[in-house]
């Protein structure tokens, strides 16, 4: 059995939900740790005023008893506080009473760069809102909650995962990030950026070369590209490797199977090699601009200006947290496949026995 995650929820609907299957029984889940990550995701300059409204506290509706997993599906729920303003507009059932609040009139001017146009065409939506609500990065909240649970599982075998911002709007330090964000806000524009996630403590052997879908680098790339607005992923030195010679590119193996360099980003042949796993994701500038781009009305075919809706100037700091969760999730999934375990103690014992077999110790 593997770890699986399915999520649902519209940005301004009643709630976001996630169902996680395949967790071993006996894993202690800390509510404060989940809420801490949810808070980190909301923070950062450049976020929409929406982030002050949402509290993003996780509710657990199944799979946990007294803070410990039961080995049954874990169901997580995060309510959208903003739904109170969209009760009529986003009512799951035919709304009753007079139209009131937000979301009453259909959106027909798709934003270039958003899922609006392609989503409306694909699903036959006359109201672009029917596409944009689910395409919204609001759904990343529940992925972060699931990622926090994955981090708890990884913690049991000494693996830690941390995301950080590398660049925002081409700037590489915090002063520059703030300045660029404020400048873009003043211009009613948006920014993108680059984040990095590093996982320490992963043993060699997570993932496999057996087939495309088994390769950990392929899974990490898919997980990161699956985050809204991500347009590029690098593992280790990534694109720079293409410009190096083999003699400069590869990480030579020393006694104890140690390396002086980690240009492979901790993955060779789709398998962790015992070095830190290092991945980067590039985020495009957000497509909701307060100074809208040119678009075409879906209903009339007439040129117009794209939808302007409250949004973030940039959400790169949030991406660092979301990418951390995505990497943790994929590593936990690979670890669950490698070490099995209906009970957490089986999982931990299997990991220990494996390290023993390959003599993977600090003093190796
Ligand atoms: C988003 C647009 C904004 C963001 C939202 C993602 O939504 P709103 O118009 O409601 O302010 O705030 O992100 C979140 C709500 C969140 O929790 O991260 C989009 O179009 O992707």
């Amino acid at each position: 059995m593997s770890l699986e995650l399915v999520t649902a929820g519209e940005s301004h609907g009643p709630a976001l939900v996630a169902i996680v299957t395949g967790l071993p029984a006996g894993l202690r889940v800390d509510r404060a740790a989940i809420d801490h990550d949810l808070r980190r995701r909301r923070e950062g300059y450049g976020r929409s005023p929406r982030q002050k409204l949402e509290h993003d506290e996780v509710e657990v509706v199944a799979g946990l008893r007294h803070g410990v997993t039961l080995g049954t599906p874990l169901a997580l729920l995060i309510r959208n506080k903003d739904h109170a303003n969209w009760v009529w507009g986003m009512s799951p059932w035919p709304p009753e009473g007079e139209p009131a609040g937000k979301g009453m009139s259909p959106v027909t001017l798709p934003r270039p760069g958003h899922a609006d146009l392609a989503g409306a065409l694909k699903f036959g939506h006359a109201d672009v809102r029917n596409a944009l609500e689910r395409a919204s990065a609001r759904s990343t909240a529940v992925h972060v909650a699931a990622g926090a649970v994955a981090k708890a599982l990884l913690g049991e075998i000494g693996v830690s995962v941390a995301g950080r911002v590398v660049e925002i709007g081409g700037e590489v330090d915090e002063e520059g990030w703030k300045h660029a964000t404020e400048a873009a806000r003043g211009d009613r524009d948006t920014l993108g950026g680059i984040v990095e996630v590093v996982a320490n403590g992963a043993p060699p052997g997570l993932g496999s070369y057996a087939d495309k879908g088994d390769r950990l680098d392929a899974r990490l790339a898919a997980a990161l590209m699956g985050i809204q607005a991500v347009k590029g992923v690098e593992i280790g030195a990534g694109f720079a490797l293409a410009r190096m010679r083999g003699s400069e590119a590869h990480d030579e193996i020393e006694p104890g199977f140690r390396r002086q360099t980690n240009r492979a980003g901790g993955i060779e042949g789709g398998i962790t090699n015992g070095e830190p796993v290092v991945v980067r994701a590039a985020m495009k500038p957000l497509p909701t601009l307060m100074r809208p781009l040119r678009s075409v009305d879906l209903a009339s075919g007439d040129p117009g200006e794209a939808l302007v809706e409250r949004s973030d100037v940039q959400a790169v700091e949030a991406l660092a947290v979301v990418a951390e969760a995505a990497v943790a999730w994929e590593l936990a999934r690979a670890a669950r496949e490698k070490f099995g375990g209906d009970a957490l103690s089986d999982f931990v014992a299997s990991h220990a026995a494996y390290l023993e077999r390959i003599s993977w110790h600090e003093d190796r």
Side-chain angles (χ1 to χ4, degrees):
M1 194 185 204
S2 178
L3 270 184
E4 299 298 339
L5 170 64
V6 60
T7 73
E10 277 70 44
S11 179
H12 304 101
L16 305 167
V17 294
I19 295 184
V20 177
T21 56
L23 284 171
L27 175 68
R28 190 162 292 284
V29 175
D30 180 8
R31 175 162 35 175
I34 301 179
D35 289 342
H36 173 70
D37 279 355
L38 290 172
R39 194 161 51 248
R40 288 171 60 217
R41 192 197 71 92
R42 286 201 314 276
E43 287 170 356
Y45 19 87
R47 297 303 319 268
S48 144
R50 168 89 184 262
Q51 301 312 317
K52 296 204 167 53
L53 187 71
E54 298 297 347
H55 297 298
D56 290 356
E57 281 164 358
V58 75
E59 291 173 45
V60 177
V61 287
L64 206 61
R65 184 162 182 234
H66 302 169
V68 179
T69 55
L70 296 171
T72 56
L74 177 72
L76 306 172
L77 183 144
I78 298 173
R79 292 186 196 277
N80 293 320
K81 295 267 182 324
D82 201 19
H83 180 63
N85 301 312
W86 297 75
V87 170
W88 192 95
M90 286 302 294
S91 170
W93 297 109
E96 290 171 2
E98 286 305 301
K102 298 186 182 171
M104 290 184 297
S105 18
V107 175
T108 57
L109 282 154
R111 290 159 293 178
H114 213 283
D116 296 357
L117 177 61
L121 294 176
K122 175 179 168 68
F123 292 101
H125 296 313
D127 183 352
V128 169
R129 181 158 304 286
N130 288 342
L132 73 85
E133 282 286 332
R134 179 61 184 159
S136 164
R138 171 71 187 149
S139 67
T140 58
V142 85
H143 282 272
V144 166
V149 176
K151 285 197 288 181
L153 181 61
L154 291 171
E156 298 288 339
I157 55 167
V159 180
S160 61
V161 187
R164 69 177 183 99
V165 173
V166 177
E167 286 183 22
I168 298 177
E171 300 289 336
V172 296
D173 61 57
E174 216 164 327
E175 266 315 298
W177 301 341
K178 274 190 191 157
H179 187 261
T181 303
E182 289 319 311
R185 191 195 305 279
D187 294 340
R188 294 181 297 145
D189 217 326
T190 59
L191 297 176
I194 298 173
V195 302
E196 181 177 88
V197 182
V198 178
N200 283 300
L206 301 185
S208 177
Y209 47 71
D211 218 332
K212 283 193 296 188
D214 303 320
R215 291 178 174 263
L216 186 66
D217 41 7
R219 289 183 180 194
L220 289 171
L224 291 168
M225 291 293 274
I227 302 169
Q228 287 85 343
V230 170
K231 279 295 203 187
V233 175
E234 277 189 328
I235 314 275
F239 275 54
L241 287 168
R243 299 180 211 110
M244 295 179 196
R245 289 186 161 194
S247 54
E248 316 170 281
H250 299 296
D251 308 307
E252 289 186 298
I253 304 170
E254 298 186 353
F257 307 125
R258 293 181 185 280
R259 319 280 181 125
Q260 293 297 326
T261 57
N262 185 21
R263 288 180 282 259
I267 301 178
E268 291 171 312
I271 311 176
T272 52
N273 63 7
E275 297 301 311
V277 173
V278 183
V279 298
R280 287 185 171 202
M283 185 184 215
K284 69 186 179 185
L286 300 175
T288 310
L289 273 69
M290 295 303 125
R291 185 169 56 189
L293 299 174
R294 288 187 300 134
S295 184
V296 169
D297 193 293
L298 266 185
S300 65
D302 293 338
E305 287 188 337
L307 167 71
V308 177
E309 184 160 278
R310 173 190 65 189
S311 188
D312 313 277
V313 178
Q314 54 87 6
V316 185
E317 289 138 295
L319 176 64
V321 180
V322 176
E324 173 185 301
V327 169
W329 177 263
E330 288 307 321
L331 286 174
R333 198 153 79 95
R336 177 73 170 85
E337 285 164 16
K338 176 92 182 85
F339 303 119
D342 293 322
L344 180 66
S345 53
D346 298 344
F347 175 80
V348 171
S350 164
H351 169 262
Y354 170 68
L355 293 194
E356 204 52 48
R357 170 168 78 72
I358 63 170
S359 302
W360 195 259
H361 305 295
E362 255 322 296
D363 59 354
R364 65 186 184 273

